[in-house]
Amino acid sequence: GGRTSPRTNFTRHHAHTRGEVLPRWVAMMMTRARGPGCSGWGRGRLRPGPRTRTRCTADYPYVKPDFELDCDAVMEIQLEHLQRNNVPYVDHGIEVLYRFADIDPFEIQATYFGKRMDLGQFERFRRMMHTKQYRALLNYNRAVLLSTLQLSEHRVKKRFMVEGFRTGEKGVFEWTLTQKIGGLKDGYWYIESLISDKISFSPPRLERDDGGDDNERRGE
């Protein structure tokens, strides 16, 4: 994965319609999709429900680690799906994140979030993403690449500043991407860790009718 511009901005939505050029990773996934459909919750649900067969389309391809995806493509997939986390169903973006997580389901002490915890079950992973440390990533407004550090030929760190959809919510997050060497997944890029580095939340100041400020501390 080569270096990218430090001001890369991921604010776009890929509303793929007829006549538009699909991103490389979307087109690749469409051609390599297994069978006529892909596993997922029914499109349009606003809450988790029974699993159904959802047809793969340009809008909702089945995304998973693949040999053809380089480091930058994997990073773009993470950001794009987190930005539209609830499309086509609630927490689909977190589900895609989990597919790319370098987590052994039989390893009790996974360090994906920077501390040892059991992440063998998706529900535990999902709950972690909804904590105050990580919720800014879900349906965020803007993400700006701050830095890229090439640790080795097969390991890269990327830091992003993310503005959440809640007014005043921001966070800095560090992804560590690693490329598998040997075995059935040789050459595949995964996410080794996602660390919440700095979180801030400054709600808007509310003005009272008398010209005062409801957020002002009493007596000051």
Side-chain angles (χ1 to χ4, degrees):
R3 297 178 65 89
T4 56
S5 169
R7 303 305 297 176
T8 300
N9 196 334
F10 293 90
T11 59
R12 64 188 182 280
H13 288 278
H14 289 302
H16 305 305
T17 57
R18 184 173 301 177
E20 292 188 16
V21 178
L22 298 178
R24 181 174 59 86
W25 68 265
V26 173
M28 184 275 296
M29 285 298 176
M30 288 293 296
T31 59
R32 297 173 67 92
R34 296 176 298 178
C38 60
S39 178
W41 283 313
R43 182 183 303 180
R45 291 183 181 271
L46 296 181
R47 61 186 184 279
R51 293 269 178 172
T52 60
R53 298 289 289 181
T54 302
R55 186 173 183 179
C56 292
T57 67
D59 293 312
Y60 313 118
Y62 184 83
V63 184
K64 61 184 180 64
D66 191 280
F67 180 79
E68 299 297 330
L69 296 174
D70 61 18
C71 175
D72 291 334
V74 169
M75 191 67 249
E76 182 177 351
I77 288 171
Q78 308 283 298
L79 293 170
E80 182 174 318
H81 283 82
L82 286 172
Q83 188 175 35
R84 49 188 179 92
N85 178 57
N86 294 328
V87 178
Y89 51 83
V90 172
D91 287 339
H92 173 259
I94 298 178
E95 184 177 306
V96 171
L97 198 71
Y98 192 66
R99 293 176 199 159
F100 283 87
D102 188 14
I103 297 174
D104 183 347
F106 300 103
E107 175 60 54
I108 299 178
Q109 301 296 326
T111 57
Y112 182 89
F113 290 112
K115 57 183 179 180
R116 296 185 179 278
M117 57 193 305
D118 183 1
L119 296 174
Q121 296 182 9
F122 171 70
E123 181 60 21
R124 291 174 180 152
F125 186 93
R126 187 189 72 82
R127 288 178 181 176
M128 189 66 182
M129 290 298 298
H130 279 278
T131 61
K132 290 183 179 179
Q133 289 86 350
Y134 290 92
R135 69 181 188 181
L137 287 168
L138 306 179
N139 306 300
Y140 68 85
N141 287 330
R142 189 168 70 105
V144 178
L145 179 62
L146 300 177
S147 63
T148 297
L149 178 61
Q150 189 83 36
L151 300 174
S152 70
E153 183 180 355
H154 308 288
R155 201 159 175 259
V156 178
K157 281 186 182 291
K158 291 179 178 288
R159 287 168 58 83
F160 285 85
M161 186 282 293
V162 175
E163 292 182 1
F165 74 88
R166 300 172 185 85
T167 303
E169 186 172 49
K170 295 181 181 180
V172 175
F173 300 91
E174 180 180 274
W175 274 263
T176 301
L177 299 94
T178 183
Q179 187 178 36
K180 296 288 186 180
I181 305 299
L184 296 176
K185 302 297 184 181
D186 181 51
Y188 286 48
W189 282 93
Y190 282 84
I191 306 300
E192 178 182 303
S193 64
L194 170 55
I195 309 299
S196 173
D197 185 54
K198 182 180 180 182
I199 296 294
S200 63
F201 183 54
S202 302
R205 300 175 70 86
L206 304 178
E207 295 185 357
R208 299 196 304 261
D209 292 338
D210 60 4
D213 192 327
D214 283 342
N215 289 341
E216 291 178 355
R217 302 169 70 179
R218 293 184 180 275
E220 295 183 353

